[in-house]
Amino acid sequence: MKLKRQRAVRRHFRLYCVHRGLREPYKVLIDGNFLHAALQMKLGDLKEEIPKLLGGTCKIGVTKCITTELRSLGESFAPSGRASKKTDHFRCTHMNPVPAVECVEALVGEDNLENLVVCTQDANLKGRLMKLNSCVPVLFVSAHGLQLEPPSESQKKQFEQLTAAVLDVPKHEKLKASTAEGETTQKKKKVKGGANPLSCKKRSHPEPEKAEKAEKATTGEVPTVEGKNKRKRQRGNKKRGDPTENGGAVEAA
């Protein structure tokens, strides 16, 4: 179950990273009640646990207003006050300390320009942050350890609008596509069937000279060259040793 919860947290946090442009190191703001709950649950070092949950390096910090509020809460929150001193401090614009909830809301603002990840146990603050258009990721402590608040319905709708805006085709591209479709429909379609024009072409007869040469080649006769008389050797049926070979007649004995 722990592995399934971690996968769900990674999947939800990836939505914030894609649509809100969160990049490492993630800037994590911790308020006093979250720090106190983490110490009560003995979650260990938050500088190791939070990056392990989010899957990346983090820059964790508090503000001067949060530290001042922890000191004013008495001895029960003294360990949390000492832990806040060891944590990095983010700059806030308050000259005089204000309640931690107001300080967190002032740092986040309406647009969350610093891409903050807020860690809080305050249910009212959590609800107000989840309704913002800036889509602020919220972490909290439960009996199962650190958890990431799943995206609210308003955040899911905003994610869908952002994806639609990214995938939307510009107007000039739509005009080009429509004109291209009109041109393709106007083009004539090729008519299938019909005789091949090459097959209808008449067969050409060979020239008489070429035909005569071809015939002689098949019969074995040697072609003669016009204009020249060549001597042909005449061969008879006479056998070698015939007395009539030299044209003389043999006298009878």
Side-chain angles (χ1 to χ4, degrees):
M1 292 298 291
K2 185 176 180 181
L3 184 60
K4 288 183 179 180
R5 285 196 299 270
Q6 190 174 8
R7 287 178 178 174
V9 169
R10 296 278 181 88
R11 184 172 64 253
H12 292 151
F13 189 67
R14 196 178 296 116
L15 291 175
Y16 292 103
C17 294
V18 171
H19 296 289
R20 298 304 305 174
L22 300 181
R23 297 290 182 269
E24 296 185 41
Y26 306 119
K27 199 172 181 179
V28 182
L29 177 61
I30 299 174
D31 68 349
N33 50 24
F34 178 88
L35 188 58
H36 183 71
L39 291 176
Q40 291 293 322
M41 294 291 294
K42 297 180 180 179
L43 293 180
D45 191 2
L46 293 177
K47 292 182 179 179
E48 295 180 359
E49 297 298 325
I50 293 177
K52 189 186 297 182
L53 179 70
L54 300 181
T57 57
C58 298
K59 186 179 180 181
I60 302 170
V62 296
T63 62
K64 182 178 65 176
C65 299
I66 295 172
T67 305
T68 305
E69 186 181 65
L70 285 173
R71 288 179 183 174
S72 63
L73 292 176
E75 290 295 328
S76 59
F77 285 84
S80 303
R82 289 192 293 271
S84 65
K85 289 181 181 179
K86 299 177 182 178
T87 310
D88 295 336
H89 280 66
F90 297 149
R91 229 179 246 184
C92 65
T93 58
H94 304 109
M95 298 299 293
N96 297 320
V98 297
V101 175
E102 295 180 12
C103 185
V104 171
E105 289 181 341
L107 279 179
V108 173
E110 290 292 332
D111 299 324
N112 192 16
L113 297 177
E114 296 188 9
N115 292 331
L116 291 172
V117 179
V118 179
C119 301
T120 183
Q121 296 294 109
D122 193 337
N124 295 327
L125 176 61
K126 190 189 303 182
R128 288 196 293 271
L129 292 175
M130 296 297 288
K131 291 178 182 179
L132 291 175
N133 293 329
S134 53
C135 299
V136 183
V138 178
L139 295 178
F140 64 95
V141 178
S142 68
H144 301 289
L146 286 175
Q147 296 292 327
L148 175 68
E149 190 73 25
S152 61
E153 293 298 326
S154 61
Q155 289 179 343
K156 288 180 180 178
K157 289 180 181 179
Q158 191 170 0
F159 290 157
E160 291 176 358
Q161 292 175 359
L162 291 172
T163 52
V166 171
L167 298 176
D168 189 18
V169 181
K171 291 183 178 180
H172 63 279
E173 294 291 339
K174 289 181 179 179
L175 290 173
K176 287 182 180 179
S178 61
T179 53
E181 288 178 0
E183 290 177 358
T184 52
T185 53
Q186 290 177 0
K187 288 182 179 179
K188 293 182 179 180
K189 294 182 179 179
K190 293 182 178 180
V191 181
K192 293 184 179 179
N196 188 359
L198 296 177
S199 62
C200 300
K201 190 176 180 181
K202 293 183 179 181
R203 186 179 294 178
S204 59
H205 297 284
E207 297 180 3
E209 294 181 359
K210 293 182 179 180
E212 187 179 353
K213 290 181 181 179
E215 187 179 355
K216 290 180 179 181
T218 53
T219 55
E221 295 182 2
V222 180
T224 58
V225 181
E226 295 180 358
K228 292 184 179 181
N229 296 324
K230 287 190 176 181
R231 295 177 63 187
K232 293 183 180 179
R233 183 177 179 183
Q234 295 180 357
R235 294 181 178 178
N237 295 327
K238 296 179 180 181
K239 294 181 180 181
R240 185 176 293 179
D242 194 353
T244 59
E245 185 177 357
N246 296 325
V250 180
E251 295 179 358

